[in-house]
Amino acid sequence: MRPNDERTTTNDVRDNVARSAGIVSIAVFLSRITGLVREKVMAHFFGAGFEYDAFLLGFRIPNLTRDLFAEGALSSAFVPIFTQTLQAEGKKKAAVLSNLVGSALIVVVGVFCVLGVIFSPVLVELLAPGFHNVPGKFELAVQMTRVMFPFLLLVALAAQAMGVLNACNRFGIPAMSSTFFNLGSVAFGLMIGLTLGPRLGATPLIGLGFGMAIGVVLGGALQLFWQVPTLHKEGFHFRFDFNWNHPGLRQIFRMMGPAILGNAAVQINVMVNTNFASRIPGNGPVSWLMFAFRFMQLPLGLFGVAIASATLPSISRSAGAGNMEEFRRTLSKSLGMVFLLTVPSSIGLIVLGRSIIGAIYQGGKFTTHDTRQTALALSCYAIGLAGYSALKVINPAFYALHDSRTPMFVSLASILVNYGVAATMLQAIGLGHAGLALSTSAVAIFGAVALFLILRKRIGGIHGRELFDSLWRISAASLAMGGVVWCTSHFMESRLGGSALAHLLDLSVSIPIGLAVFYAACLVLRVSEVELATRKVVKPLLRRLGIGR
């Protein structure tokens, strides 16, 4: 291939990744908005107290294992192998591999769910021994965990379906699946909780909690079956099949081993922090951290997950074809887009955290004190947002190169980083739940930097000079934006006070001003990623909305 042809192909791949990331971002935006509605409903009915702490822990346990089997190890190992099988051997062979993986998931994850239901008391004891200090709280968490454990199997199958569709360059439908989970879990949960609640729990609030737990399982089923019609259109029809000697399946299992250990390290960090949080006196710390982290999922999903979802199939094809220059350039541009979108988001979350949390959650049993404490946690989580998002892009790059051990070793090392920072922040400095959020950010930054340096050496560079040139320009523009937004937000607060409506008005003024300042600063500083984002994401979106040509 001639140099000009290679450069054209690389630019086409870069543009396709940006376009696909834009599609996923729109879908993820809807998902995150409905997720916030779901959290708003939960905050209104439960606040940050006894019942919601138990529900959150019951939901967190299958989610921990979901990250191992579904959106973690499975996705990382399955997508590169499936993409390369689809490219090299065709759709028929890829469909066989998909059926084998789906069948294995039903057996393995199904057995795991049964064991999880049986040993729920042990898991709750491991995660939150401090729940024993409140009468009935531990027992309620165990019951909630048992109700929600089947969610794991449904979401594992949904993640596999998402991987198949992404490999076929179908990004919008799978990205929308989480929206249907959010809508389904709230609708089914409220319907069951409000109509059958008195029969499900000792108090109306506990009964509602059990209704919402059942809604989680039904929402997981909706998340899976929403994708089935599109799978059929692409020619993939599930058929239960076993062939443990299939080379593709064995390769996925080989890659999943280190991936599970690596993701287990991440979940160990979550368990350690949850354990620490449960020991903080009073009700609320677990909920404050969960509310804050759930809100940070909005920019993380919009930018980090969206760009990673669009990048992985492209770099898997590049690696399979041996085109490492295309691999390096695509990865570099994806990281540049991550920084463009997450660095200003981090500053915005730190400066506007109280107004954001107050506008969305404050009301009902969610008090102004809960708003302040949740905003504090959000500010600490936001420090690691760019690291989190970069990890979403860098980590799968190793799997595209069929290397699952390096991410595993870095994840295992992060256990020591997390425990050391969490213990120091909580016990030595006394920062409480904010210290736990800071330890999570420290782990994200550590992992992103370590994997970046290793990958750069492995593949002979990632156009690092261009990337870091963009990073300092983006950081400067973000700081300028943060300074202006801080002034407007404090002015609005001094005039309007701290009600939920006042917070909403603050956001309606400060966010548009911040976006305008950031965009202008990027143009002045000549941030190259702004042109790509405008050309491949913003302009097509405006055309679809009938704005502009």
Side-chain angles (χ1 to χ4, degrees):
M1 182 180 290
R2 290 176 299 178
N4 288 340
D5 293 337
E6 184 173 326
R7 191 178 302 114
T8 300
T9 302
T10 301
N11 289 338
D12 290 342
V13 171
R14 180 195 66 184
D15 291 349
N16 288 336
V17 169
R19 189 183 304 110
S20 299
I23 294 171
V24 177
S25 291
I26 295 168
V28 171
F29 177 74
L30 295 175
S31 171
R32 294 302 188 253
I33 292 299
T34 54
L36 289 175
V37 171
R38 178 175 172 270
E39 294 300 324
K40 174 67 175 177
V41 169
M42 299 297 288
H44 179 80
F45 281 105
F46 295 100
F50 172 99
E51 296 85 2
Y52 195 49
D53 276 358
F55 174 87
L56 284 179
L57 191 75
F59 187 47
R60 177 171 292 177
I61 289 175
N63 267 284
L64 294 177
T65 45
R66 178 193 72 176
D67 289 336
L68 291 178
F69 288 109
E71 295 173 358
L74 172 65
S75 295
S76 298
F78 173 71
V79 173
I81 303 302
F82 180 82
T83 301
Q84 290 166 12
T85 301
L86 182 64
Q87 182 182 29
E89 302 181 41
K91 187 168 287 186
K92 186 175 181 179
K93 292 293 182 68
V96 171
L97 178 60
S98 176
N99 286 334
L100 290 171
V101 172
S103 302
L105 280 176
I106 291 173
V107 173
V108 176
V109 181
V111 170
F112 192 87
C113 287
V114 172
L115 294 174
V117 170
I118 295 171
F119 293 103
S120 288
V122 178
L123 296 172
V124 174
E125 178 71 36
L126 192 64
L127 274 172
F131 278 14
H132 283 295
N133 298 330
V134 181
K137 191 173 185 178
F138 179 87
E139 292 75 15
L140 182 59
V142 170
Q143 293 174 317
M144 294 281 190
T145 301
R146 284 176 166 157
V147 171
M148 287 185 275
F149 228 108
F151 169 70
L152 171 61
L153 175 59
L154 295 167
V155 79
L157 293 171
Q160 188 216 354
M162 177 182 290
V164 171
L165 292 176
N166 285 349
C168 296
N169 290 323
R170 298 294 296 267
F171 294 97
I173 294 295
M176 282 287 292
S177 63
S178 295
T179 298
F180 284 86
F181 164 73
N182 292 325
L183 295 175
S185 61
V186 170
F188 289 128
L190 288 177
M191 181 175 63
I192 295 171
L194 294 176
T195 57
L196 302 178
R199 301 178 184 179
L200 298 174
T203 67
L205 207 55
I206 292 177
L208 180 60
F210 279 117
M212 298 304 292
I214 296 171
V216 165
V217 179
L218 296 177
L222 191 60
Q223 180 177 0
L224 169 62
F225 290 112
W226 157 255
Q227 301 178 80
V228 170
T230 309
L231 284 171
H232 289 172
K233 288 181 182 178
E234 290 293 330
F236 295 95
H237 302 268
F238 177 73
R239 181 172 62 86
F240 202 79
D241 190 15
F242 275 110
N243 180 6
W244 299 105
N245 292 320
H246 188 279
L249 184 63
R250 295 181 68 179
Q251 190 172 13
I252 290 171
F253 281 157
R254 282 196 298 269
M255 291 179 66
M256 279 188 70
I260 288 174
L261 289 176
N263 281 285
V266 176
Q267 307 317 323
I268 288 172
N269 291 337
V270 174
M271 290 170 61
V272 167
N273 287 359
T274 303
N275 194 305
F276 275 128
S278 74
R279 297 172 186 270
I280 298 174
N283 290 316
V286 174
S287 299
W288 297 330
L289 289 169
M290 187 63 169
F291 278 125
F293 194 74
R294 285 286 296 168
F295 189 84
M296 204 183 75
Q297 296 297 310
L298 177 59
L300 181 60
L302 272 176
F303 309 135
V305 174
I307 294 172
S309 297
T311 301
L312 180 55
S314 293
I315 60 176
S316 295
R317 284 188 284 267
S318 299
N323 190 343
M324 295 310 297
E325 174 55 30
E326 183 179 274
F327 184 100
R328 287 189 290 268
R329 176 62 66 179
T330 302
L331 188 61
S332 175
K333 289 300 180 182
S334 295
L335 287 173
M337 289 291 290
V338 164
F339 293 142
L340 173 71
L341 298 168
T342 58
V343 173
S345 296
S346 297
I347 300 296
L349 291 175
I350 292 171
V351 175
L352 295 174
R354 186 178 297 185
S355 292
I356 292 170
I357 298 299
I360 294 173
Y361 292 132
Q362 191 170 307
K365 292 192 174 184
F366 199 92
T367 66
T368 54
H369 176 68
D370 293 325
T371 296
R372 287 193 297 270
Q373 298 304 320
T374 304
L376 177 61
L378 178 60
S379 298
C380 295
Y381 278 134
I383 294 172
L385 177 59
Y388 266 117
S389 300
L391 273 175
K392 295 290 184 182
V393 175
I394 299 172
N395 209 46
F398 285 92
Y399 292 91
L401 298 172
H402 296 180
D403 176 10
S404 56
R405 292 187 178 184
T406 300
M408 175 192 72
F409 289 130
V410 172
S411 293
L412 292 174
S414 74
I415 296 175
L416 298 178
V417 175
N418 179 71
Y419 187 86
V421 176
T424 301
M425 294 291 178
L426 193 64
Q427 297 173 354
I429 302 179
L431 287 182
H433 70 290
L436 298 178
L438 281 174
S439 71
T440 303
S441 292
V443 167
I445 295 170
F446 163 77
V449 171
L451 286 177
F452 178 86
L453 294 176
I454 295 170
L455 185 61
R456 183 181 67 173
K457 184 176 181 180
R458 177 80 52 84
I459 64 176
I462 317 178
H463 299 279
R465 289 185 180 179
E466 295 179 21
L467 190 58
F468 284 103
D469 181 68
S470 293
L471 180 58
W472 83 257
R473 294 172 191 270
I474 292 167
S475 299
S478 300
L479 289 174
M481 176 204 74
V484 172
V485 168
W486 185 87
C487 293
T488 60
S489 180
H490 277 257
F491 174 80
M492 296 291 290
E493 184 178 359
S494 66
R495 294 292 187 272
L496 301 175
S499 67
L501 179 59
H503 290 312
L504 185 61
L505 291 172
D506 176 18
L507 296 178
S508 67
V509 172
S510 297
I511 290 178
I513 291 175
L515 289 173
V517 170
F518 177 71
Y519 182 71
C522 284
L523 292 180
V524 171
L525 294 170
R526 298 180 180 178
V527 177
S528 61
E529 285 76 11
V530 168
E531 187 273 335
L532 177 62
T534 302
R535 178 164 50 88
K536 291 298 177 182
V537 180
V538 178
K539 287 185 178 179
L541 177 59
L542 292 177
R543 283 197 297 268
R544 290 191 179 190
L545 295 174
I547 304 172
R549 295 182 179 179

